[in-house]
Amino acid sequence: MSHSPLIGLQFDNAFTRTLPADPVSDNYRRQVAGAAYSRVHPTPVVAPSLVAHAAEVAALLDLTPADCASPAFLRVFAGNEVWPGMDPYAMCYGGHQFGHWAGQLGDGRAINLGETVNRAGQRWTLQLKGAGPTPYSRMADGLAVLRSSVREFLCSEAMHHLGVPTTRALSLITTGEPVMRDMFYDGHPKAEPGAVVCRVAPNFIRFGNFQLFAARGETELLRALVDHTLRTDFPQLGAPSTDTYLALLAEVAARTAHMIVHWMRVGFVHGVMNTDNMSILGLTIDYGPYGWLENFDPDWTPNTTDAEGRRYRYGHQPQIAWWNLVQLANALHTLVPDVPALEAALAAYPQTYEAETQTMLAAKLGLREFNPATDHDLVNGLYAALSLTETDMTIFHRRLAELPCMAEVSPEAMLATISPAWYTAAAVTDAIKTDVLAWLKAWQARVQLDGTPDATRRHAMNAVNPLYVLRNYLAQEAIDLAETGDYSRVRETLEVLRQPYTEQAGREAYAARRPEWARQRAGCSMLSCSS
Ligand code: AMP
Ligand code: MG
């Protein structure tokens, strides 16, 4: 350990201080019983180079721009140096993968450096992803490639700026070392550039952490983890007790619902909603084969591994989150045998989901509030209209904001306003136009009942309907260039996505429909878990 110039970082490692550690300190793959984590150091890399960093995340940690440009920053966030005060460890967790209990999984390529407390008293855990093997790496190498690291880095920050609860990303660093990956698991492995992302969140505890201890009958460890989570991240719920365990479940259910409503609002499809990828804080976590809905299709999944069952398709995410919460409740059942009470706590999920979905849909449509008497039909009509021909959901809502409701507009002008959202103009038949127009008129009539002035409504709609999202092909273009050693697109994409609701001169291309070439290209429409 050498001393760093970034002496401002204060560490307070509550997780490792409070919870039992794996007594084995050697770094080899194994089952770890009776412990919440294993201490393990990142593996140093030969030639770290900074691709990008997120200034807002640095600010959360009280790091200055000079700190971020320093050699010490590069060394520590590449995994080449551990600073005094850090206590690196990998967490022990399990999970359900694609609906099946998978046993121990754990941080196979994530290493928590420690918990830093900033000047405002906020606690942030710093976690390196791709920094080498841990006891939980199973058959894999503990590494990450540049391609998937660019995706994780950009999407974490894009989601934050969209207002979606998420883990953050501080830095993206290439290692100078090749990593072998068989991208489509079809016997064609190739060497790709390796990279490390530093993720930042209050904690990285997943549903699967609780599940594993419950499954193993490690009841006291489970209780210790629940109590630690309550004390550290949910102090407002009160001192640990059966009642606060139930309050925690209700709170996690509500937060998860809140997160899913945001995903549905912006068209985000996580792609691998396994219970080990569900944060106890209700944050979007583990950006792997995620994707963004372009043409509206509730059945779309970006993940090739999920192509058969489409378990994690866009329209199914609310049900999957519920299924995952039921697994969390099953784990807590060991501590709270009262099933009706657990069910009552879980009810926070449908309640929050229904209420917030209505508010969200009303906002997306520029309505003052959701009126169940009329607006269920209006929304169903919208989904039908969006499904008539390939229609870009993001562009559609921005165009809709432009349509006058309080002044006369011709049918031709209405359709012309919406038409940039259509992928194939030639496919839009007269019959489709008639149906879309009928919906637009029904929507106008509904807005007129509110009487909101057009400019006011447009402003409100544009605050919830993003102009710029991390379209799958935009991420891929940034990756293609980054793989040649040119990081300018990664940085520019981050720059644009920092203000996703605001029109930015010269950045029109970032708001454009997916180009035809991207339709079937790997990385743009299909992604595997290989990362
Ligand atoms: P995921 O579904 O990508 O979140 O990963 C599932 C499990 O596989 C987790 O325990 C990960 O830590 C582990 N894992 C994924 N990729 C790697 C890798 N390259 N090396 C070691 N473990 C990995
Ligand atoms: Mg994971």
Side-chain angles (χ1 to χ4, degrees), residues 206 276-277 286:
R206 302 135 189 278
D276 56 304
N277 292 338
D286 277 8

Side-chain angles (χ1 to χ4, degrees), residues 39 58-59 92 111 119 174 237 247 260 320 337 451 498 509 515:
R39 287 199 165 86
C92 183
I111 296 177
R119 284 195 287 267
T174 48
L237 298 180
I260 299 286
I320 290 294
R498 286 168 79 187

Side-chain angles (χ1 to χ4, degrees), residues 29 91 93-94 97-98 104-110 129-130 132-134 136-145 179 181 199 206 270 272 274 276-277 285-289 529-531:
R29 276 82 161 166
M91 285 194 286
Y93 58 77
Q97 297 184 310
F98 294 91
Q104 178 181 303
L105 295 167
D107 285 331
R109 57 164 164 182
K129 183 168 177 178
T134 76
Y136 308 97
S137 297
R138 295 177 293 154
M139 312 300 284
D141 56 11
L143 304 175
V145 293
V179 172
R181 284 291 180 272
R199 308 198 288 193
R206 302 135 189 278
H270 184 285
V272 210
N274 294 332
D276 56 304
N277 292 338
I285 189 172
D286 277 8
Y287 292 92
C529 286
S530 159
S531 57

